[in-house]
Amino acid sequence: DAGVTQSPTHLIKTRGQHVTLRCSPISGHKSVSWYQQVLGQGPQFIFQYYEKEERGRGNFPDRFSARQFPNYSSELNVNALLLGDSALYLCASSLAVGARNQPQHFGDGTRLSIL
Amino acid sequence: AQTVTQSQPEMSVQEAETVTLSCTYDTSESDYYLFWYKQPPSRQMILVIRQEAYKQQNATENRFSVNFQKAAKSFSLKISDSQLGDAAMYFCAYRLGSRLTFGEGTQLTVNP
């Protein structure tokens, strides 16, 4: 079975541009979460979506937005890119919101570099 | 707000020896989950072991085990018979609902 897949694997943008990152969850998983991992730090929670609705949001500016599609895949959008947005963006899927004893499974991430 | 602290930025161990990675957390909740994830240079976050806070028994997964001290809010990971493939960044994580809060990580080096 395929795991969580993310695209692209690596992306280079310049300041002020916008970017869209994509994530396909494990088959049967209905919840998708996004995390930002700056080099040398632990991942920080950005968003969680379940059944196409936002169920949680971390401490990130409105430049960050996301959505989930009927097939449970998800997109993370970042507008007006700043140098500080350079990071590894991780997507994780799980069966449901807060599903007991169901861990989140992570993809390989998208490395975003801002020049 | 929940916080997770890993006080050891780097650790090293000899192959076949045992190493313990430390983690403490802060929460006012009583029902939550704790995890250890491993992140090799390939970037993927791999689940190593998980612990449910309402279970007193410490979780074990083959060579990996935890020492969960709920009152002390401590959750350490013990790796026995260390292997070269265990070398990676290890993250302790706390989960309330579906939101994971991670520590800063411990870089584990395994020496042959």
Side-chain angles (χ1 to χ4, degrees):
Chain A
D1 287 343
V4 178
T5 57
Q6 292 187 244
S7 63
T9 56
H10 193 186
L11 202 52
I12 299 174
K13 292 286 188 179
T14 58
R15 283 178 295 176
Q17 286 188 311
H18 71 272
V19 68
T20 298
L21 311 181
R22 295 178 175 82
C23 171
S24 293
I26 292 172
S27 178
H29 284 194
K30 298 182 178 181
S31 176
V32 170
S33 297
W34 288 95
Y35 294 83
Q36 180 196 64
Q37 186 178 18
V38 172
L39 190 64
Q41 298 182 16
Q44 298 289 319
F45 172 77
I46 310 175
F47 283 113
Q48 195 231 355
Y49 275 78
Y50 176 68
E51 291 286 9
K52 304 185 292 295
E53 291 187 4
E54 182 182 305
R55 293 300 188 97
R57 183 184 183 116
N59 188 24
F60 280 82
D62 292 343
R63 299 185 296 108
F64 288 77
S65 64
R67 55 178 175 169
Q68 187 177 32
F69 299 98
N71 66 354
Y72 304 109
S73 66
S74 177
E75 285 182 353
L76 175 69
N77 295 283
V78 187
N79 293 324
L81 288 166
L82 303 173
L83 292 177
D85 295 331
S86 295
L88 178 67
Y89 288 84
L90 294 166
C91 174
S93 75
S94 59
L95 282 171
V97 173
R100 209 159 188 86
N101 205 28
Q102 293 297 326
Q104 295 186 9
H105 298 268
F106 285 82
D108 289 345
T110 293
R111 173 73 65 190
L112 176 62
S113 300
I114 310 301
L115 302 179
Chain B
Q2 292 80 23
T3 59
V4 178
T5 302
Q6 294 179 247
S7 59
Q8 307 153 316
E10 298 177 349
M11 291 284 284
S12 63
V13 64
Q14 291 297 125
E15 196 175 3
E17 297 294 310
T18 296
V19 65
T20 298
L21 308 183
S22 301
C23 173
T24 58
Y25 59 94
D26 185 26
T27 183
S28 58
E29 303 291 334
S30 59
D31 189 15
Y32 51 87
Y33 296 83
L34 296 164
F35 302 86
W36 279 97
Y37 281 90
K38 165 186 175 182
Q39 188 178 41
S42 63
R43 308 185 322 199
Q44 186 181 27
M45 199 73 74
I46 301 166
L47 177 66
V48 174
I49 198 166
R50 56 188 158 180
Q51 175 78 43
E52 297 168 80
Y54 66 88
K55 287 188 176 179
Q56 302 241 348
Q57 186 175 5
N58 289 325
T60 62
E61 287 286 344
N62 301 314
R63 299 182 295 106
F64 299 88
S65 62
V66 299
N67 183 5
F68 173 48
Q69 302 289 329
K70 191 172 183 178
K73 297 179 183 175
S74 170
F75 182 61
S76 60
L77 174 69
K78 185 172 81 172
I79 306 174
S80 304
D81 185 26
S82 297
Q83 301 176 358
L84 294 177
D86 294 334
M89 181 71 86
Y90 285 79
F91 290 97
C92 175
Y94 164 100
R95 190 185 90 185
L96 182 64
S98 286
R99 180 182 300 204
L100 282 169
T101 300
F102 289 86
E104 293 298 301
T106 296
Q107 182 67 51
L108 178 66
T109 301
V110 181
N111 301 309

